[in-house]
């Protein structure tokens, strides 16, 4: 009997952060919207070619990443894109990038194109001291490691189109060996030299009608796309213990090579079947339990039938399967991102198992006659569908998907992705459950950047995404999950409408009550706790916090234990009694207990004083 999914193992790896910049989708939320609405970002360009183009690919804030204008100009835009993706993915994971210095965090980047080097060598641009590092593909990983002060492995992976999914495999193995304690995995691909497209066209790989018809009778090649994606990986046991939000779990993966097909670029069915079998064996789950596979799915007349035959042999017709295997390809939405394609498919699969739905695969009407879908027990969803097996939770199974990526030189990769397990631990960044305790009447939300313009731009982005979380969560994540820079605006909001209005004011540079903006000193500031004496009290002080904060309550209980036998009253009684607080023998110890407990609460949140002052 095949083992069930959902059985947690020490080798399981959690995906705790994600980011992307893709055609028609500048972020994860936009990407998911594009997928679920069946959107296509493929457009015909003025030169007649079809492409999934990345808007603003040349835009880059060099100063933010501690690069001079000359360094930035010499650096391949793929390096710059990787810096942006890595930073955003860490913040999505609730990790302040600057706090990773000195850690064994690894960086693994799938990258293959060298268009920028080709352009630079053909131009009259003089070689400089920044040229060597600017054009080296290895620097796509190394720059991020240098920026953040990381000590783990840092390497670029080039196995052609399978590069970024191979990078996921290598990162997971590094985490399992203990070589890395956290891993940042990226994939980037930008089309900067038009002759690179001409080369793929001469190979016969590109679709003349500008559509990728995966597994369809019209399959005639793919459309190129550009952009990138990034994920943050961490051992599942540690992620759950730390209260991280887990998007999905990597159960296992495998990589192999065709080992000599009929030609260098012709795929080999048995080699693809072998990588599938190895991946599910390492994942510890039966191949009949996978419900969806994100295909390599390039829509080529040769590649599609080979991939389908391997999938059908290992997964579609696996013993115990009681429904056809659903398959699809994100290349129909955004194009083939080549070295970054595998990671884009991985992010799509992660979102599918997290949300429990399967987006449509576009451009599919009539199955390829060379692919016997019924016999292979495969199907291509052409509309948004609920997860193929909605009863999985009731049977103890978690949603399970596979991701395939194959390089044109025969390097094959497959990763097994599972829904995150249910966790009773609070997710980092969630202070309270709605309705469980009284929320603060006003929440400060901090927006910061290295320039006033950066603050305004970020305020606009926060405004767009603020509706997806509670007001307290937005306020907490603004200071806990993001780096705080010297240019700052603080929006004081009592509800979502006030927050939206305040963020709009910051984005537009318009003064508004409840919004404070300025420039703070960074790095040299110190904190001082002031402990007031008699006079700084009121009836009912601290009772709400005592009920809401476990840290505060524990400290107050310790104070009560210390007072026992010395006083004839209890703190919980006198704090609500205005007359009692007028007695000197009550107010002094009561104020002491409240102040000490407040200090304990601040320290638990990371605010440790450099000095303390007080009186009485």
């Amino acid at each position: 009997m095949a083992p069930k999914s959902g059985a947690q193992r020490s080798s399981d790896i959690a995906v705790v952060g994600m980011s992307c910049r893709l055609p028609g989708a500048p972020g994860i939320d936009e990407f998911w919207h594009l997928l679920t609405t069946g959107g296509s970002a493929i457009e015909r360009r003025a030169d007649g070619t079809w492409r999934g183009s990345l808007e603003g690919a040349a835009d880059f804030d060099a100063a933010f990443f501690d690069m001079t204008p000359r360094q930035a100009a010499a650096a391949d835009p793929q390096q710059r894109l990787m810096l942006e993706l890595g930073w955003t993915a860490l913040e999505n994971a609730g990790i302040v990038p600057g706090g990773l210095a000195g850690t064994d965090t690894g960086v693994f980047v799938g990258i293959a194109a060298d268009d920028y080097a080709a352009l630079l060598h053909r131009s009259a641009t003089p070689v400089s001291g920044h040229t060597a590092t600017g054009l080296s593909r290895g620097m796509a990983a190394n720059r991020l490691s240098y920026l953040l002060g990381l000590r783990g492995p840092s390497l670029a992976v080039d196995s052609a189109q399978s590069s970024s999914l191979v990078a996921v495999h290598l990162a997971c193995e590094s985490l399992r060996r203990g070589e890395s304690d956290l891993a940042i995995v990226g994939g980037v691909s930008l089309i900067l030299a038009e002759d690179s497209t001409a080369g793929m066209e001469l190979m016969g790989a590109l679709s003349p009608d500008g559509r990728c018809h995966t597994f369809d009778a019209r399959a005639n090649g793919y459309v190129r796309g550009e952009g990138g994606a990034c994920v943050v990986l961490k051992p599942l046991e540690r992620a759950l213990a730390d209260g991280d939000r887990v998007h999905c779990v990597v159960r296992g993966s495998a990589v192999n090579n065709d080992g000599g097909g009929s030609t260098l670029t012709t795929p080999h069915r048995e080699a693809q079947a072998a990588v599938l079998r190895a991946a599910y064996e390492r994942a510890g789950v039966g191949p009949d339990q996978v419900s969806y596979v994100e295909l390599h799915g390039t829509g080529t007349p040769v590649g599609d039938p080979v991939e389908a035959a391997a999938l059908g042999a290992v997964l579609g017709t696996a013993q115990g399967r009681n429904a056809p295997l659903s398959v699809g390809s994100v290349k129909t939405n955004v194009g083939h991102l080549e070295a970054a394609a595998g990671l884009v498919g991985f992010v799509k699969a992660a979102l599918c198992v997290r949300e429990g739905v399967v987006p449509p695969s576009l451009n599919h009407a009539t199955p390829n006659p060379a692919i016997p879908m019924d016999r292979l027990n495969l199907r291509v969803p052409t509309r948004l569908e609920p997860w193929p097996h909605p009863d999985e939770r009731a049977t103890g199974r978690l949603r399970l998907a596979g991701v395939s990526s194959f390089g044109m030189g025969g390097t094959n990769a497959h990763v097994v992705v599972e829904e995150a397990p249910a966790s009773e631990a609070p997710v980092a960044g969630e202070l309270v459950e709605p309705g469980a305790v009284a929320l603060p009447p006003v929440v400060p939300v901090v927006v910061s950047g290295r320039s006033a313009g950066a603050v305004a731009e970020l305020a606009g982005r926060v405004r767009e995404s603020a509706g997806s979380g509670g007001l307290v969560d937005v306020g907490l994540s603004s200071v806990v999950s993001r780096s705080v820079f010297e240019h700052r605006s603080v929006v004081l909001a009592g509800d979502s409408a006030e927050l939206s209005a305040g963020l709009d004011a910051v984005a537009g540079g318009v003064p508004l009550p409840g919004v404070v903006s300025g420039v703070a000193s960074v790095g040299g500031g110190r904190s001082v706790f002031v402990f007031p004496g008699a006079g700084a009290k009121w009836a009912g002080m601290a009772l709400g916090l005592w009920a809401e904060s476990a840290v505060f309550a524990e400290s107050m209980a310790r104070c009560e234990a210390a007072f026992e036998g010395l006083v004839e009253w209890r703190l919980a009684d006198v704090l609500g009694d205005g007359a009692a607080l007028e007695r000197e023998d009550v107010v002094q110890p009561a104020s002491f207990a409240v102040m000490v407990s407040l200090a304990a609460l601040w320290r638990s949140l990371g605010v440790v004083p450099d000095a303390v002052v007080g009186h009485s």
Side-chain angles (χ1 to χ4, degrees):
M1 183 176 179
K4 285 187 176 181
S5 69
Q8 187 177 326
R9 307 174 307 163
S10 60
S11 59
D12 290 344
I13 304 298
V15 177
V16 296
M18 299 190 292
S19 67
C20 69
R21 278 190 65 193
L22 298 168
I28 292 294
D29 291 342
E30 295 88 348
F31 180 43
W32 186 235
H33 178 75
L34 180 75
L35 294 173
T36 54
T37 58
S40 171
I42 307 301
E43 297 178 335
R44 189 166 194 167
R45 293 157 50 85
D47 60 4
T49 62
W50 295 87
R51 181 177 301 171
S53 299
L54 184 67
E55 294 184 9
D59 296 341
F60 182 68
D61 188 346
F64 182 90
F65 293 103
D66 294 331
M67 294 175 67
T68 67
R70 288 186 178 181
Q71 286 175 320
D76 188 329
Q78 295 178 126
Q79 294 184 22
R80 307 178 213 162
L81 178 59
M82 186 58 221
L83 288 173
E84 295 170 338
L85 290 169
W87 190 279
T88 306
L90 288 170
E91 289 193 332
N92 177 261
I95 298 171
V96 177
L100 290 176
T103 64
D104 290 331
T105 299
V107 180
F108 304 79
V109 179
I111 180 171
D114 59 357
D115 289 18
Y116 197 64
L119 289 177
L120 212 61
H121 291 321
R122 288 201 296 261
S123 71
T125 304
V127 173
S128 74
H130 304 304
T131 301
T133 54
L135 302 184
S136 169
R137 281 177 292 189
M139 292 297 144
N142 299 161
R143 279 195 191 278
L144 187 58
S145 296
Y146 173 76
L147 175 73
L148 303 179
L150 310 179
R151 299 292 176 84
S154 181
L155 61 142
V157 179
D158 182 0
S159 59
Q161 289 83 351
S162 61
S163 298
S164 58
L165 201 63
V166 171
V168 172
H169 169 78
L170 295 175
C172 289
E173 291 301 305
S174 181
L175 289 166
R176 291 182 181 117
R177 291 194 303 269
E179 180 183 58
S180 301
D181 50 30
L182 188 76
I184 303 166
V185 186
V188 288
S189 183
L190 294 176
I191 304 168
L192 306 173
E194 293 306 321
D195 51 2
S196 65
T197 297
M200 300 306 295
E201 189 172 12
L202 290 171
M203 280 185 62
L206 302 186
S207 169
D209 61 12
R211 293 291 182 268
C212 180
H213 302 283
T214 302
F215 280 26
D216 190 84
R218 296 165 293 170
N220 58 0
Y222 64 80
V223 182
R224 300 187 80 193
E226 56 182 356
C230 186
V231 295
V232 180
L233 306 179
K234 189 177 186 179
L236 177 61
E237 289 181 339
R238 192 156 62 86
L240 294 177
D242 291 346
D244 294 325
R245 181 189 187 188
V246 179
H247 297 283
C248 71
V249 175
V250 177
R251 288 295 300 258
S253 59
V255 171
N256 73 2
N257 192 273
D258 286 351
S262 58
T263 71
L264 175 64
T265 59
T266 301
H268 192 275
R269 186 192 69 83
E270 183 48 44
Q272 292 185 12
V275 83
L276 292 170
R277 285 191 292 267
Y280 286 93
E281 181 179 351
R282 293 170 186 173
V285 294
D288 62 302
Q289 295 177 30
V290 61
S291 301
Y292 172 76
V293 168
E294 176 61 24
L295 302 165
H296 180 62
T298 52
T300 57
V302 175
D304 279 7
V306 171
E307 182 173 11
L311 281 171
V314 178
L315 303 179
T317 60
Q319 184 178 2
R321 179 174 297 281
N322 54 21
L325 174 68
S326 296
V327 298
S329 174
V330 72
K331 294 176 179 65
T332 63
N333 302 94
V334 297
H336 188 352
L337 269 74
E338 296 167 355
L343 194 56
V344 175
F346 178 87
V347 170
K348 175 187 171 182
L351 293 170
C352 287
V353 298
R354 189 185 78 182
E355 302 298 328
V357 296
V358 176
S361 194
L362 309 184
N363 313 321
H364 185 83
T366 304
N368 189 326
I371 302 177
M373 301 290 283
D374 291 340
R375 182 168 62 80
L376 297 173
N377 205 24
L378 307 176
R379 64 181 296 271
V380 178
T382 56
R383 60 180 178 81
L384 183 65
E385 296 182 353
W387 194 254
H389 298 290
D391 62 336
E392 288 181 344
R393 287 178 179 271
T395 60
R397 289 173 53 183
L398 298 177
R399 294 187 283 263
L400 199 70
V403 187
S404 290
S405 190
F406 309 135
M408 65 178 177
T411 297
N412 308 311
H414 189 82
V415 177
V416 184
V417 175
E418 187 176 67
E419 175 190 4
S423 173
E424 297 181 358
V427 175
E430 292 185 354
L431 279 181
V432 294
E433 289 293 329
V437 297
L439 295 176
V442 175
V443 173
V445 176
V446 180
V447 184
S448 72
R450 287 183 169 166
S451 67
V455 174
E457 181 182 349
L458 179 59
R461 295 206 303 268
V462 174
R463 167 74 165 81
E464 294 174 359
S465 61
S468 61
L471 185 60
V472 173
D473 291 340
V474 174
L476 181 65
S477 64
S478 72
V479 292
V480 173
S481 302
R482 291 182 177 273
S483 298
V484 180
F485 299 105
E486 58 271 26
H487 290 267
R488 302 176 190 172
S489 290
V490 180
V491 178
L492 301 175
D495 54 38
S496 58
E498 290 184 358
L499 175 61
S500 296
L503 291 171
D504 284 341
V506 175
V510 179
L512 186 74
V515 175
V516 180
S517 299
V519 181
S521 61
V522 176
R526 294 188 173 188
S527 59
V528 177
F529 285 2
V530 179
F531 292 82
K537 90 285 186 184
W538 65 93
M541 68 174 181
L543 290 178
L545 194 58
W546 197 340
E548 296 171 14
S549 169
V551 173
F552 187 87
E554 180 184 0
S555 177
M556 291 292 281
R558 291 174 62 193
C559 289
E560 277 207 312
F563 296 162
E564 190 173 350
L566 302 177
V567 299
E568 297 177 352
W569 42 262
R570 295 181 58 81
L571 280 171
D573 298 328
V574 299
L575 288 178
D577 186 342
L581 289 176
E582 294 298 327
R583 292 168 45 189
E584 189 171 343
D585 64 315
V586 172
V587 70
Q588 295 286 1
S591 294
F592 167 83
V594 170
M595 294 301 109
V596 167
S597 299
L598 276 174
L601 177 58
W602 279 111
R603 290 174 68 93
S604 74
L605 297 173
V607 181
V608 179
D610 295 286
V612 296
V613 296
H615 64 89
S616 296

